[in-house]
């Protein structure tokens, strides 16, 4: 690493800036860039903040510094980005490399020295500007599959000096893409009770009619009042079959632009508001994203521009309109949908059908506490985007808090009074969420204070108070007690817990801490003997694994090395 670092001059990257340096950054991998994930595409509760670059289904590919700079952050975690490296560049941008297998040797040594010093695998470091200097093209790491990665790839980001992610393709990093986006479904939405689509006051799917060259029409519809539209769409590049996100959607009414959403950049503060962009209920029940091409109240997303009437089409009686959308990918390939809308006022106002009359009406801008038996739920103000009518019931230790079809902006607090339980049982209790048709129980971090258990969640649904009295299991993977391991590089142990989940673990050899990497996807702990902390011939291994309510298992074994 030979770069002589220059004073970093902060710059302000205006959101309106249209030009980004085209020759400043190189590709982080030395293979053809093929993407499994694009910038800004919709994920569960967030926008994707970078490019997922395919690594040919293998780990261990060399990852290069895309420009001169210094390593400003190293974060190692079991979940999320897994092993991640951040480089700050003299022009104010930061490049991010995530799901890494390992860092290059000098950086890996720097990292492990501090991990051993602090006695922890998960760690976050912020080196000084003169500590870990790199030059463009230096090998900084090797690609992997760590954290919440679904397969080997490199997650790559470019952020501005305010930590806002920006599409790396804007900087000249390119992929081959000559295909227009695919439009799968198209929907119309009434704005309120005085709006109608084909005589109904409900979301309506509209049949797409192909007209060639990625252009569609929709069979003519009648409407009245303010209506909006929504689209299910994806994009594909030439060299990959993955269904990725689109870059831009623009709409016009009678040839006049009335809405645009552009996915080239966003702030992490707003990413969870993706749930306001999409039809959240439809996603939760159909696992498909419908992007709403209108802006509802309390939607803070910065991606919108040139929005007229919040993107709605105002339909008056006997007046015809032509509504059109243009869906674009980053390379300018487009698909279109044209809709002819005829104004037709229903003779009698229709009433929207309500499935069941719930009795807990929540005003969005008010804080609310719901109570029943030994359970209470605290809902902070502005948790909901709109006023809502909730189903709130308690049956024994099960809390029915509506269904997960309404998005939340904030965490709500679930409180259980456990004073009726025996003192010896109270420490084993936790709050879990019941999910899936098989009724899995997912642990929610639970705080105990006296006889009150509190858990925080950002989703509605079914919750339960559960006791976990069973300790985790620990099983050796590639060795047996009393055996020689001289020819092994790795020591592997599988850990699991069938209810509250793994909370922590700690491993020692001859009473000395050893680093073990935890892959939660496989449940395997791995120690690398190349760390050179195991130097004796006879070695006493001890691993203590604790679940999330405090049950623990101690595993002990003897092995030999020379």
């Amino acid at each position: 690493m030979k770069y002589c670092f220059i004073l970093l001059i902060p710059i302000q990257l205006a959101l309106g800036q249209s030009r980004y340096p085209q020759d400043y950054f190189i590709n982080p991998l030395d293979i053809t860039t093929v993407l499994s994930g694009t910038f800004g595409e919709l994920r569960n509760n967030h926008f994707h903040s970078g490019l997922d670059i395919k690594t040919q289904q293998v780990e261990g590919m060399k990852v290069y510094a895309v420009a001169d700079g210094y390593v400003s952050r190293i974060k190692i975690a079991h979940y999320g980005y897994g092993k991640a490296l951040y480089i700050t560049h003299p022009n104010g941008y930061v490049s991010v490399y995530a799901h890494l297998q390992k860092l290059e040797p000098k950086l890996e040594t720097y990292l492990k020295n501090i991990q051993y010093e602090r006695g922890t695998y998960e760690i976050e470091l912020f080196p000084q500007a003169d500590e870990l200097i790199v030059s463009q093209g230096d090998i900084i790491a090797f690609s992997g599959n760590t954290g919440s990665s679904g397969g080997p790839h490199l997650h790559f980001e470019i952020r501005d000096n305010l930590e806002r992610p920006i599409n790396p393709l804007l900087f000249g990093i390119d992929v081959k893409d000559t295909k227009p986006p695919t439009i799968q479904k198209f929907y119309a939405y009434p704005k309120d009770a005085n709006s109608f689509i084909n005589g109904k006051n409900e979301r309506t799917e509209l049949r797409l009619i192909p007209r060639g060259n990625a252009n569609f029409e929709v069979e003519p519809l009648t409407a009245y009042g303010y209506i909006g539209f929504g689209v299910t769409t994806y994009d594909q590049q030439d060299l990959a079959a993955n269904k990725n996100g689109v870059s831009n959607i623009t709409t016009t009414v009678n040839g006049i632009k009335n809405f645009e959403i552009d996915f080239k950049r966003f702030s992490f503060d707003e990413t969870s508001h993706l749930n306001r962009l999409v039809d959240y209920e439809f996603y939760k029940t159909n696992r498909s994203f419908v992007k709403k091409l209108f802006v509802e109240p309390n939607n803070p997303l910065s991606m919108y521009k040139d929005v007229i009437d919040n993107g709605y089409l105002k339909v008056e009686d006997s007046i015809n309109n032509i509504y059109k959308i243009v869906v674009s990918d980053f390379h300018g390939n487009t698909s279109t949908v044209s809709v002819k809308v005829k104004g037709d006022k229903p003779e009698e106002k229709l009433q929207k059908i309500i499935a069941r009359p719930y009795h807990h009406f929540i005003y969005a801008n008010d804080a609310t506490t719901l109570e029943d038996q030994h359970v209470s739920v605290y809902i902070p103000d502005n948790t909901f985007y709109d006023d809502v009518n909730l189903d709130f019931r308690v049956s024994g230790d099960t809390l029915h808090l509506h269904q997960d079809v309404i998005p939340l902006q904030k965490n709500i607090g679930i409180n259980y009074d456990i004073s009726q339980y025996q003192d010896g049982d109270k420490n084993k209790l936790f709050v879990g969420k019941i999910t899936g048709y098989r009724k899995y129980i997912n642990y929610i971090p639970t705080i105990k204070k006296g006889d009150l258990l509190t858990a925080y969640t950002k989703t509605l649904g079914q919750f339960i108070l559960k006791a976990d009295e069973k300790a985790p299991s620990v099983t050796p993977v590639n060795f047996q007690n009393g055996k020689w391991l001289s020819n092994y590089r790795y020591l592997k142990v599988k850990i699991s817990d069938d209810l509250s989940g793994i909370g922590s673990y700690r491993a020692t050899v001859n009473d000395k801490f050893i680093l073990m990497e935890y892959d939660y996807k496989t449940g395997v702990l791995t120690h690398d003997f190349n760390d050179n902390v195991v130097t004796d011939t006879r070695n006493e291994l001890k691993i203590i694994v604790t679940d999330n309510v405090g049950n623990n298992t101690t595993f002990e074994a003897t092995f030999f090395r020379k």
Side-chain angles (χ1 to χ4, degrees), residues 223-225 313-321 342-345:
Y224 181 77
L313 167 62
K314 183 180 181 181
V315 184
E316 299 178 285
D317 192 26
S318 302
I319 302 296
N320 295 336
N321 297 274
K342 179 181 179 181
D344 184 18
K345 184 177 181 180

Side-chain angles (χ1 to χ4, degrees), residues 224-284:
Y224 181 77
Y226 284 93
I227 64 171
F229 294 90
V231 63
T232 300
T233 181
Y234 65 85
D235 187 49
Q236 289 180 303
Q237 288 83 50
D238 290 12
L239 302 178
N242 302 75
K243 297 178 179 180
N244 300 132
V246 301
S247 182
N248 182 284
I249 305 176
T250 301
T251 73
T252 59
V253 175
N254 300 324
I256 300 173
K257 183 178 178 181
N258 78 321
F259 173 93
E260 181 178 357
I261 183 166
D262 191 282
F263 296 96
K264 71 165 58 77
R265 55 182 172 257
F266 61 87
S267 166
F268 285 114
D269 291 337
E270 61 181 320
T271 189
S272 67
H273 295 293
L274 167 147
N275 292 328
R276 192 58 164 168
L277 162 66
V278 304
D279 184 334
Y280 186 83
E281 178 181 5
F282 189 90
Y283 171 67
K284 286 296 182 177

Side-chain angles (χ1 to χ4, degrees), residues 508-522:
T508 59
V509 169
N510 300 331
D511 296 323
K512 183 165 53 177
F513 170 80
I514 63 167
L515 197 64
M516 296 200 82
E517 179 177 336
Y518 176 49
D519 182 352
Y520 79 93
K521 297 187 287 286
T522 61

Side-chain angles (χ1 to χ4, degrees), residues 358-422:
Y358 303 125
H359 301 296
H360 298 280
F361 190 83
I362 311 296
Y363 290 98
N365 59 352
D366 289 343
T368 305
T369 299
L370 303 175
E371 297 182 273
D372 186 9
Q373 302 175 54
H374 58 297
V375 181
S376 67
V377 176
Y378 176 69
I379 303 172
D381 61 327
N382 298 311
T383 292
F384 295 101
Y385 291 99
D386 305 299
D387 298 341
V388 296
N389 201 3
L390 290 184
D391 176 19
F392 168 75
R393 294 172 287 121
V394 176
S395 304
D397 283 334
T398 301
L399 164 64
H400 303 268
L401 189 58
H402 209 81
Q403 300 176 55
D404 183 15
V405 294
I406 303 173
L408 307 183
Q409 300 188 70
K410 298 179 180 178
N411 284 316
I412 59 177
I414 298 174
N415 303 290
Y416 275 86
D417 180 351
I418 58 171
S419 57
Q420 74 274 23
Y421 282 84
Q422 297 293 324

Side-chain angles (χ1 to χ4, degrees), residues 93-143:
Y93 291 102
V94 175
S95 56
V96 183
Y97 316 77
H99 305 309
L100 302 170
Q101 181 191 64
K102 58 184 177 180
L103 308 186
E104 67 85 31
K106 290 182 181 178
L107 293 176
E108 187 79 1
T109 298
Y110 172 90
L111 167 65
K112 284 194 172 183
N113 284 342
I114 300 177
Q115 287 176 311
Y116 273 103
E117 178 184 319
R118 299 184 185 178
T120 179
Y121 171 75
E122 290 194 299
I123 200 166
E124 187 170 16
L125 306 174
F126 297 92
Q128 296 298 309
D130 59 352
E131 282 190 89
L132 302 174
I133 297 168
V134 298
S135 295
Q136 184 181 68
D138 279 348
I139 298 172
I140 55 171
F142 297 88
S143 66

